[in-house]
């Protein structure tokens, strides 16, 4: 089994560059199904999830090539509208091809995306919205099939500002006949990034980034060239690493507007953060102040940085409380942190963290992508050696993380054990 091994106690110092956003590039790739011709997506990180989405598109008949950080995708040759089960099961974001396939070909079939380590992750909001746009949906034997003659616009209200549902419905409505309004839409930067690419393809979308998105359907779309926004979650993860090791990092390729809640929370914890035009300068200190964190849909504190902050707060000088309001089971990293001497109690949506002086290296597991980042943070700050297993979770969302961290002083490598 491949493991990440970290010798803790090293202070991180230097400059680190953030890659393109995983949670933006995946919907952008799905959007290329809406048109023939060659689209080019730039600043694409080399990640396992990008590989899986490429495989999904190629299985449908697209040609998807990754060349020097850019994806060249041509969906002129779509031969089928059923995504392979193994890939959908492997990565939930594969479900984002449902909206585009329905809008362009009137049919889509795939296995129901499973839940994962952080929750059941149902798709009811996606389905209710697609039905509102005219799709007929049937679910049987673990498969979901949707058919429609021509999508028509409608008023949709999301019970929860679901990122994936907003993306799927925006893509479907882009080619629907007439007007669509998505109420209580997700406001994440990745929604704005997708809207920008769809508009570059000829879509008529207004309001992305607010909770009301208005879409005027068009007859067809054209290929486009688009640059992915920087990964705000990777940026936040590196900021926490600087804080946890009492180090000093210049983190470049960051849109600070996208991480205002994270910067505010780090400053509250006693971490020095200076914002530049293209990045942030983070200066950690050994005396972290305990803070309370409540995860919320954007622009609130991102659930994808909750695990990383929990790792940080295990070292604060007092008691912190984390409330996870977005997912129902996103505290599995607490058990792994406790193996490193952390003092954490979880109950339902809350975790109480009693800060301690030192974490101690141990053998731990990455239980999901962001929990894996949390284990790297804890191991960098801990005394002694830590071995992290199940690192395929980490490689889904962090490009060359060991290389990036070794370059700023971490003693970190991947071994085969
Ligand atoms: C996206 O997942 C991200 N993934 C997640 O990042 C992120 O945690 C999440 O948004 C929230 O910000 C990608 O963009 C690929 P949701 P998504 O639909 O779209 C419930 C990471 O680590 N819900 O906003 O699946 C759901 O159960 C990953 O990079 C329904 O009830 O998230 C959850 O409790 C993890 N019904 C909440 O909404 C639905 O139909 C938020 O889910 C859809 C969602």
């Amino acid at each position: 089994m491949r493991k990440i091994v970290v010798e803790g106690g090293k202070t991180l110092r230097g400059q680190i560059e953030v890659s393109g956003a995983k949670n933006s590039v995946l919907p952008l790739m799905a959007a290329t199904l809406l048109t023939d011709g060659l689209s080019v997506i730039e600043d694409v990180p080399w990640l396992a999830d990008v590989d899986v989405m490429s495989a999904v598109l190629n299985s449908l008949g697209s040609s998807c090539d990754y060349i020097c950080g850019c994806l060249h995708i041509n969906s002129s040759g779509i031969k089928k509208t059923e995504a392979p089960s193994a890939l959908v099961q492997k990565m939930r974001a594969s479900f984002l091809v449902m909206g585009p396939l329905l809008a362009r070909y009137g049919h889509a079939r795939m296995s129901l995306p499973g839940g994962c380590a952080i929750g059941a992750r149902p798709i009811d909001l996606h389905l209710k919205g697609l039905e509102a746009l005219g799709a007929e949906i049937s679910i049987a034997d673990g498969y979901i099939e949707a058919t429609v003659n021509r999508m028509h616009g409608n008023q949709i209200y999301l019970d929860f500002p679901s990122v994936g549902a907003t993306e799927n419905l925006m893509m479907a409505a882009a080619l629907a006949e007439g007007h669509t309004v998505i109420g209580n839409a997700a406001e994440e930067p990745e929604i704005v990034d997708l809207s920008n690419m769809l508009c570059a393809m000829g879509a008529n979308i207004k309001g992305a980034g607010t909770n009301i998105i208005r879409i005027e359907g068009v007859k067809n779309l054209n290929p486009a060239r688009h640059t992915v926004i920087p990964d705000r979650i990777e940026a936040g993860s590196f900021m926490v690493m600087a804080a946890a090791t009492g180090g000093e990092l210049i983190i470049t390729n960051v849109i600070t507007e996208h991480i205002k809640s994270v910067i505010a929370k780090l400053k509250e914890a006693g971490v020095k953060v200076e914002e530049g035009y293209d990045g942030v300068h983070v200066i950690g200190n050994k005396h972290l102040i305990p803070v309370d964190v409540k995860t919320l849909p954007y622009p609130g504190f991102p659930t994808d940085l909750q695990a990383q902050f929990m790792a940080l707060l295990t070292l604060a000088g007092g008691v912190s409380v984390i409330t996870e309001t977005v997912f129902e089971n996103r505290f599995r990293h607490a058990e792994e942190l406790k193996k490193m001497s952390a003092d954490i109690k979880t109950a339902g949506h809350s975790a109480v963290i009693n800060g301690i002086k030192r974490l101690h290296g141990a053998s731990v597991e990455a239980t999901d992508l962001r929990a894996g980042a949390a284990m790297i943070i804890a191991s960098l700050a801990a005394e002694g050696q830590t071995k992290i297993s199940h690192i395929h979770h980490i490689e889904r969302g962090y490009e060359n993380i060991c290389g990036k961290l070794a370059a700023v002083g971490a003693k970190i490598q991947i071994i085969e054990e």
Side-chain angles (χ1 to χ4, degrees), residues 293-309:
V293 177
K294 181 176 188 179
T295 67
L296 287 167
Y298 193 87
F301 189 93
T303 175
D304 290 350
L305 278 165
Q306 179 259 104
Q308 297 91 320
F309 249 74

Side-chain angles (χ1 to χ4, degrees), residues 248-287:
E248 180 171 359
L249 287 179
I250 305 266
I251 304 165
T252 61
N253 194 30
V254 178
I255 299 176
T256 55
E257 194 53 44
H258 292 170
I259 49 169
K260 284 293 182 199
S261 62
V262 181
I263 293 171
K265 204 43 82 175
L266 281 170
K267 286 181 174 176
E268 205 183 313
V271 180
K272 201 161 179 305
V273 181
E274 291 158 3
E275 295 177 51
Y277 85 96
D278 177 41
V280 287
H281 179 195
V282 183
I283 304 168
N285 74 54
K286 295 284 184 191
H287 309 289

Side-chain angles (χ1 to χ4, degrees), residues 22 40 50 71 77 95 98 226 231 248 324 334 379 382 391:
K22 166 184 84 85
V40 178
V50 172
L71 275 171
F95 194 66
M98 172 69 85
H226 181 82
D231 194 317
E248 180 171 359
E324 171 57 62
S379 62
I391 62 171

Side-chain angles (χ1 to χ4, degrees), residues 397-414:
Y398 288 92
E399 183 180 40
N400 183 28
I401 183 124
C402 291
K404 288 187 178 184
L405 291 176
V408 291
K411 208 158 166 359
I412 182 170
Q413 60 175 331
I414 294 178

Side-chain angles (χ1 to χ4, degrees), residues 144-184:
I144 179 166
E145 185 153 19
T147 53
V148 66
N149 289 326
R150 177 101 162 76
M151 284 275 187
H152 57 72
N154 207 338
Q155 300 263 356
I156 299 169
Y157 183 83
L158 296 177
D159 297 344
F160 183 90
S162 156
V163 171
T166 303
E167 290 163 345
N168 237 334
L169 297 173
M170 221 162 60
M171 290 188 280
L175 285 180
E177 202 163 358
H179 308 257
T180 296
V181 177
I182 304 175
N184 198 27

Side-chain angles (χ1 to χ4, degrees), residues 1-5 48 364-369 372 376 387-398 401-402 413-416:
M1 174 191 276
R2 294 166 63 246
K3 294 184 177 181
I4 288 178
V5 179
V364 295
E365 181 185 331
T367 52
D368 68 79
L369 165 56
I376 290 180
K387 286 185 180 178
I388 306 170
S389 63
H390 298 80
I391 62 171
H392 59 282
H393 287 300
I394 300 171
E395 292 170 327
R396 292 186 53 181
Y398 288 92
I401 183 124
C402 291
Q413 60 175 331
I414 294 178
I415 63 161
E416 186 68 52

